[in-house]
Amino acid sequence: SIVIALADAARPDARAGAKAANLARLIAAGLPVPEGFVLGHDAFAAIVGDLDQIALDDLGHRFAAAEAQALTAALPPELEAAVRDRAAGLGRLAVRSSMGLEDGAGGAGAGVFVSAIDVAPAAVWDAIRAVWVGAFSPLVAAYARHRGAGMGGVGVIVQRYAAGRRVTVYTRAPGAPDEDRVWIERGGAARVVAARAPIGS
């Protein structure tokens, strides 16, 4: 299936993006993660087209056509129904990007892609399409060129929405991945830098 349980997103064949794979690892470690599922790159490729190997020089030209396809392409009925059924069981939703360009060793990509929070289950496909369209912005093209990387996979995470203040945690300090510290940002407030505690402490 191209609708993947979040706990299975770390499988190599899932093509679910680094963010989803990292969440799956947290689930496997027994940490609390809101339940959900993932549309991997195979779902995106079936509906929008496979831009996995898009050349950096072609980003602008290909992005315009792909954006239109992401907004208007017909959905396979079985996939549309499967996503709606799963979303209905979660309540209010957080619909988040899980791209090949983000949450990896080369960079986090925080703020580059689109997320939609507190989404009604009936609007799940509108939110998924918005995340797909967000993959084709000028900012994404500039970020990819800066990284010297292709698009990679395009995945979307659909999770139960957990209300609360937004916190961003960089488990590896940007620009210094080998240092033993984390960065924590709470709702846009000043960054807190803390030593990374050993697992089990």
Side-chain angles (χ1 to χ4, degrees), residues 35-133:
E35 61 268 32
F37 60 92
V38 186
L39 285 182
H41 182 75
D42 290 344
F44 173 86
I47 296 166
V48 180
D50 195 346
L51 304 183
D52 202 7
Q53 305 299 323
I54 187 171
L56 291 178
D57 291 343
D58 294 335
L59 284 177
H61 300 293
R62 298 286 298 280
F63 273 17
E67 180 178 352
Q69 185 75 357
L71 283 170
T72 63
L75 301 170
E78 289 186 3
L79 176 61
E80 181 178 18
V83 167
R84 288 194 184 279
D85 288 347
R86 289 196 184 208
L90 295 174
R92 304 294 292 187
L93 306 170
V95 182
R96 310 167 64 202
S97 65
S98 184
M99 309 294 176
L101 272 175
E102 62 181 330
D103 286 22
V112 175
F113 298 94
V114 169
S115 293
I117 62 170
D118 201 8
V119 174
V124 63
W125 274 109
D126 291 337
I128 291 169
R129 288 184 188 269
V131 172
W132 282 345
V133 168

